[in-house]
Amino acid sequence: MTEFLIANMAPVMFLGLVVFLLMGYSVAFALAACGLFFGFLGVHLGMLPEALMHALPLRIIGILKNDTLLAIPFFTFMGLILERSGMAEDLLDTIGQLFGPIRGGLAYATIFVGAMLAATTGVVAASVISMGLISLPIMLRYGYDRQLASGVIAASGTLAQIIPPSLVLIVIADQLGRSVGDLYAGAFLPGFILTMLYVGWVFTVSMLRPAAAPALPPEARTIREDDGSSGNRSLLALTVLSVGAAIVFAQLRPEGAPKDETIVVSMCVGIGVAFGLAVLNRFLKLGLLSRMAERVTFVLIPPLALIFLVLGTIFIGIATPTEGGAMGAVGALAMAISRRRLTVKLTKQAMDATLKLSSFVLFILLGATVFSLTFNAVDGHLWVEHLLTGLPGGQIGFLIIVNILVFLLAFFLDFFELAFIIIPLLAPVADKMGIDLVWFGILMAVNMQTSFMHPPFGFALFYLRSVAPHSKYLDRITKKEIAPVTTGQIYWGAVPFVVIQVVMVGILIAFPQLVMGNLDKRQAVDLDTIQLEAAPSDWGLKDEEEAKPDKEGEGKQDEDPAAALLRDMANEAKAKK
Amino acid sequence: MKFLLQFSRLIDAISEAVGRAAIWLVLIAVLISAGNAVIRKAFNVSSNAFLEIQWYLFAAMFLLGAGYTMLRQGHVKIDVILGRFSKRTQIKVEIFGIVCFLFPFVIQVIRLSWPLVTQAYVSGEMSENAGGLIRWPVYALIPVGFALLGLQGVSELIKRIGFLAGQCPDPTQPIQNKTAEEELAEEIRKRQVDPEVVSMVEAADAMVADKRVKEVRP
């Protein structure tokens, strides 16, 4: 028995983890308990050095010092303030009006706003609740297919997981030891393509079954000119004008200016032009813009400005993700104040929720640290590697199997658990097989997005269920009785989008350049920031970097001489055994 | 039992008070980090003290908040299987979890981190960066945070035993009346003074009651 245990400690420990987790007590403590239990068992059996757990405090201090993780409370706080600022409602109302009159328009509006919210608030629950309360009743009123309507809302809400500034990407970046900026840049195109796939699906449905996604009747428009016209022509003119301004500005940039910087700055100029014109028009009462054009401008500009403030500065490289998160949080506060939505109560609630989220996430990480300390000491990493490198098909075979595994686990685990437990096990193997870790991380992120949509435990579905009508009600406008949305409809509605997600994983496996193209370009053009990018997982400030050579990426927990000593001691003891 | 339940209420009050104070660290950290970023870009000055205070605050935030998070049932569980069992079984498993999972973790971390704190205090260890901060306060946050967590664990244990003995209400019911998500939903409904939406409130309230049973997650 003892011999069997010693020979198979790693698999036994892994099984033990599954049992501990499924028992249903808090994940963080189950992880830690699993690590401690098998650690002591190992020491007792003479497999492991007595000093095994002595490395723990230094590991914990390494986590405290981690600059990347600091972005988690910042982005969470930003999202929580924004979700209550009324931005989502304004966006949904206005964009719904803009797209509504075309077939499938309300669904397109939902996807578009979902992507906008993903790039700003990044909170799945908030997006789904807002869309479920505002867009769903309108879609039901005009006879949208219930499965399509609920599926689109749930799926668009989960875009927050893949579109930067997503928390998942921060956690994955930390676990992979790559910079958050790289993961954000890598996620940009996949997030966009995924959004387009959603749009494509809605388009297909609306073409095959026009009744599933009808256009809004003319009388449903609330934003229109006095003469009854839509005012879209004026909006088009404004769009052309601002895009033109951006292009002209981009052409005027000096030769050799970094391309990404040019893109970001030019977009800012274009947006600035549109905003300036709309403000001028309003205050001078010029009457040049239609109501629709003005409304759209005023609704779209603040979130766009925030996106550029946060993501733009991170992409160009003038801010670290942590700083970007802090700036975004201040921006969100400013926006909430300008909309007169910021109260002490709301701020406290946001701080409270941020505190709890940070605490539970970081404690899962602490628990996972204890687990991995023991798991690596019993050579669990070698076991996993042996298990996975033996798979047929090389890189592709590995990726396919791993993705199937994560897809199945996503039915039961949510992304924080997946990121902290599964990724550290898989990443070293992927790295050894020559798989780019940013590519791998994005694949995992797209895959883990399904954990929100899997019936019956997916959170997006859960939140949609909580706000969708449970009983039949009388519609205010049409005076028709509207049937409730059943749970089955919500579950089945999510299925096509889960399939799209799987397709997207397939696309990414087939075309890695979708992720890496962005990175290569940055590196090729950005010669002067290469230095910054060369230090993985440390988006420390450029000028601080010279001052603090000890903060270099991977060495974090090993930098302490005491830690190195302990490690050596552990190795010696192991060698002796 | 009565005495123990009183003790548990005292612990809850402590966790609550610490949590209420700790939430302000979020705002302070945001303001310092944003201010530091702007000043660094605009005037090209930066101080290591300001960079380090950020992670000190972060550490304080999640370590001191751990007990409070437990009080509010914020530590996520996988209740796929456990959720199918009776309330009493669930409570018994949680008692097992507190005693066999939580306590050993807390005790080990305190035991292992304490020498580090005293050592740093005695030697007056400073940051290795110029103008950096003194280290022992942030090291001390580890045992203090875990002690608060363990203390809250004791309170949760008492409440669960009390429940099994029929002497106190179900401790797994959230203390707050509404979750953040419910508040958001309510606010949107209020702003959209739509009769149709209002009519849904009733249905949603039914859902709220239903949801209480489930677990609160962000």
Side-chain angles (χ1 to χ4, degrees):
Chain A
M1 177 65 193
T2 316
E3 273 157 39
F4 171 82
L5 206 57
I6 291 178
N8 294 293
M9 193 63 156
V12 171
M13 186 175 174
F14 190 78
L15 262 175
L17 174 71
V18 175
V19 174
F20 277 42
L21 285 177
L22 286 182
M23 209 177 273
Y25 193 61
S26 303
V27 174
F29 310 132
L31 271 165
C34 185
L36 288 176
F37 176 74
F38 283 93
F40 284 110
L41 191 64
V43 171
H44 182 73
L45 293 175
M47 293 175 69
L48 302 173
E50 300 259 358
L52 171 72
M53 281 297 155
H54 287 192
L56 188 58
L58 294 156
R59 290 278 181 96
I60 296 179
I61 289 170
I63 293 173
L64 302 186
K65 278 188 181 177
N66 189 326
D67 207 33
T68 310
L69 296 173
L70 184 54
I72 292 177
F74 290 169
F75 281 118
T76 310
F77 184 69
M78 168 183 164
L80 290 168
I81 291 288
L82 277 184
E83 74 175 35
R84 301 288 289 276
S85 70
M87 183 183 84
E89 291 135 274
D90 287 355
L91 276 171
L92 284 168
D93 281 342
T94 310
I95 306 300
Q97 283 284 319
L98 182 64
F99 290 170
I102 54 175
R103 200 192 282 174
L106 285 173
Y108 297 137
T110 305
I111 297 170
F112 180 78
V113 175
M116 288 283 287
L117 292 178
T120 47
T121 68
V123 184
V124 173
S127 300
V128 171
I129 288 173
S130 306
M131 296 191 285
L133 283 175
I134 296 167
S135 305
L136 186 61
I138 306 178
M139 292 203 226
L140 295 180
R141 177 185 301 151
Y142 296 108
Y144 267 62
D145 179 83
R146 279 133 191 285
Q147 290 184 11
L148 179 70
S150 55
V152 144
I153 289 174
S156 306
T158 64
L159 282 174
Q161 293 306 306
I162 186 68
I163 294 180
S166 134
L167 290 186
V168 193
L169 294 177
I170 298 177
V171 169
I172 291 181
D174 176 64
Q175 292 294 309
L176 293 177
R178 300 295 299 258
S179 83
V180 177
D182 274 357
L183 263 107
Y184 279 2
F188 195 73
L189 206 53
F192 180 76
I193 295 172
L194 194 58
T195 313
M196 284 302 122
L197 288 179
Y198 291 174
V199 169
W201 170 247
V202 171
F203 180 78
T204 312
V205 171
S206 69
M207 285 301 133
L208 295 179
R209 289 165 47 212
L216 287 195
E219 69 270 14
R221 289 186 203 174
T222 50
I223 307 174
R224 57 172 117 179
E225 296 305 286
D226 292 332
D227 61 9
S229 65
S230 66
N232 285 347
R233 213 173 291 160
S234 161
L235 178 63
L236 188 69
L238 187 66
T239 312
V240 169
L241 202 64
S242 49
V243 170
I247 291 173
V248 168
F249 180 83
Q251 300 293 337
L252 291 177
R253 296 271 297 174
E255 274 301 308
K259 204 184 254 169
D260 50 356
E261 194 179 313
T262 306
I263 294 172
V264 171
V265 178
S266 308
M267 280 167 125
C268 285
V269 168
I271 290 168
V273 166
F275 190 62
L277 281 177
V279 169
L280 269 181
N281 182 59
R282 173 173 278 190
F283 284 102
L284 299 178
K285 300 208 165 45
L286 296 175
L288 286 175
L289 293 176
S290 67
R291 275 187 200 132
M292 180 59 104
E294 200 177 289
R295 220 13 228 282
V296 169
T297 313
F298 282 121
V299 165
L300 272 184
I301 296 297
L304 283 177
L306 204 59
I307 291 172
F308 285 120
L309 176 72
V310 178
L311 296 182
T313 50
I314 296 175
F315 278 141
I316 299 177
I318 58 173
T320 66
T322 308
E323 289 173 324
M327 305 280 280
V330 172
L333 284 171
M335 201 159 128
I337 290 172
S338 74
R339 286 161 168 268
R340 302 205 181 129
R341 289 272 166 77
L342 194 73
T343 58
V344 176
K345 188 173 163 234
L346 167 58
T347 318
K348 271 189 171 172
Q349 272 174 355
M351 294 189 299
D352 187 84
T354 307
L355 179 87
K356 283 188 286 193
L357 182 118
S358 312
S359 201
F360 104 70
V361 171
L362 266 295
F363 266 81
I364 293 183
L365 180 56
L366 291 181
T369 306
V370 179
F371 174 78
S372 70
L373 205 62
T374 308
F375 194 65
N376 287 347
V378 300
D379 290 335
H381 55 300
L382 296 179
W383 173 66
V384 173
E385 192 186 313
H386 180 72
L387 212 62
L388 292 174
T389 44
L391 295 172
Q395 274 195 12
I396 301 294
F398 168 79
L399 286 176
I400 290 174
I401 301 278
V402 159
N403 273 296
I404 291 174
L405 181 77
V406 170
F407 182 81
L408 294 177
L409 284 173
F411 275 96
F412 308 103
L413 300 178
D414 73 18
F415 68 86
F416 281 126
E417 292 147 19
L418 285 168
F420 285 130
I421 302 169
I422 302 301
I423 290 199
L425 292 179
L426 299 178
V429 187
D431 199 29
K432 241 179 216 163
M433 297 184 86
I435 295 168
D436 184 279
L437 286 184
V438 173
W439 179 38
F440 184 68
I442 305 292
L443 270 174
M444 292 289 106
V446 174
N447 198 334
M448 286 180 198
Q449 207 184 326
T450 56
S451 73
F452 282 84
M453 291 190 260
H454 278 320
F457 301 111
F459 272 113
L461 308 183
F462 173 70
Y463 285 117
L464 182 59
R465 174 68 281 178
S466 74
V467 293
H470 282 259
S471 48
K472 59 183 179 198
Y473 64 98
L474 206 62
D475 188 76
R476 175 176 57 106
I477 307 261
T478 53
K479 306 286 175 222
K480 266 191 240 154
E481 199 177 79
I482 309 265
V485 176
T486 66
T487 307
Q489 285 164 346
I490 292 178
Y491 288 173
W492 281 109
V495 171
F497 292 92
V498 172
V499 174
I500 289 177
Q501 218 67 33
V502 175
V503 170
M504 186 67 208
V505 171
I507 292 177
L508 285 178
I509 292 181
F511 305 101
Q513 59 270 31
L514 290 176
V515 176
M516 325 251 263
N518 246 345
L519 302 179
D520 296 344
K521 196 176 66 204
R522 272 154 50 90
Q523 271 158 4
V525 178
D526 256 3
L527 281 173
D528 46 355
T529 58
I530 280 236
Q531 194 199 355
L532 230 163
E533 285 164 4
S537 89
D538 182 6
W539 272 60
L541 324 165
K542 213 172 175 185
D543 34 351
E544 295 310 320
E545 244 165 45
E546 280 104 21
K548 297 192 290 178
D550 65 290
K551 272 194 79 182
E552 293 297 324
E554 313 283 354
K556 244 177 223 168
Q557 56 245 29
D558 297 339
E559 80 212 16
D560 194 298
L565 192 70
L566 273 173
R567 213 185 36 225
D568 290 346
M569 270 163 56
N571 286 343
E572 265 170 44
K574 210 169 177 185
K576 245 184 265 168
K577 175 214 75 175
Chain B
M1 194 71 224
K2 211 165 209 172
F3 169 73
L4 284 176
L5 283 172
Q6 249 165 11
F7 182 53
S8 147
R9 272 193 288 275
L10 175 73
I11 295 175
D12 286 0
I14 293 172
S15 291
E16 180 84 23
V18 173
R20 295 243 158 148
I23 60 170
W24 290 97
L25 297 173
V26 176
L27 189 63
I28 296 170
V30 163
L31 294 178
I32 288 183
S33 184
N36 192 50
V38 171
I39 290 169
R40 188 169 66 83
K41 293 282 134 54
F43 308 107
N44 213 7
V45 243
S46 169
S47 105
N48 281 325
F50 272 100
L51 285 173
E52 289 185 3
I53 194 73
Q54 291 177 30
W55 68 260
Y56 278 41
L57 287 167
F58 176 56
M61 199 188 294
F62 79 83
L63 285 169
L64 298 181
Y68 175 70
T69 306
M70 174 174 261
L71 173 69
R72 291 287 158 86
Q73 331 259 342
H75 290 288
V76 169
K77 301 163 183 176
I78 301 175
D79 48 7
V80 177
I81 294 177
L82 192 61
R84 295 172 189 275
F85 286 88
S86 73
K87 194 85 219 173
R88 289 185 74 84
T89 312
Q90 290 182 27
I91 297 274
K92 280 179 194 158
V93 169
E94 285 188 359
I95 290 176
F96 176 81
I98 293 171
V99 175
C100 298
F101 290 5
L102 176 69
F103 287 163
F105 182 36
V106 167
I107 291 167
Q108 278 299 318
V109 172
I110 294 179
R111 192 175 71 85
L112 291 168
S113 62
W114 188 250
L116 217 69
V117 181
T118 47
Q119 198 188 337
Y121 181 76
V122 171
S123 67
E125 183 188 341
M126 294 291 292
S127 155
E128 57 283 351
N129 305 316
L133 301 171
I134 193 155
R135 281 287 186 255
W136 69 263
V138 71
Y139 291 171
L141 285 170
I142 300 171
V144 171
F146 273 83
L148 286 167
L149 178 67
L151 203 60
Q152 187 57 42
V154 171
S155 164
E156 299 295 323
L157 183 64
I158 295 172
K159 281 188 272 185
R160 276 163 184 76
I161 294 172
F163 174 74
L164 289 183
Q167 299 209 6
C168 71
D170 180 6
T172 53
Q173 294 290 321
I175 295 179
Q176 282 160 315
N177 293 325
K178 285 181 198 131
T179 64
E181 285 79 28
E182 285 157 17
E183 291 234 6
L184 170 69
E186 191 162 288
E187 201 175 300
I188 295 176
R189 284 195 190 102
K190 234 186 282 168
R191 253 180 260 145
Q192 303 242 325
V193 201
D194 260 30
E196 84 196 341
V197 177
V198 173
S199 78
M200 277 156 43
V201 170
E202 181 202 324
D205 283 346
M207 188 66 195
V208 167
D210 179 38
K211 197 184 152 193
R212 286 261 165 68
V213 183
K214 301 197 179 184
E215 184 213 338
V216 188
R217 296 204 209 183

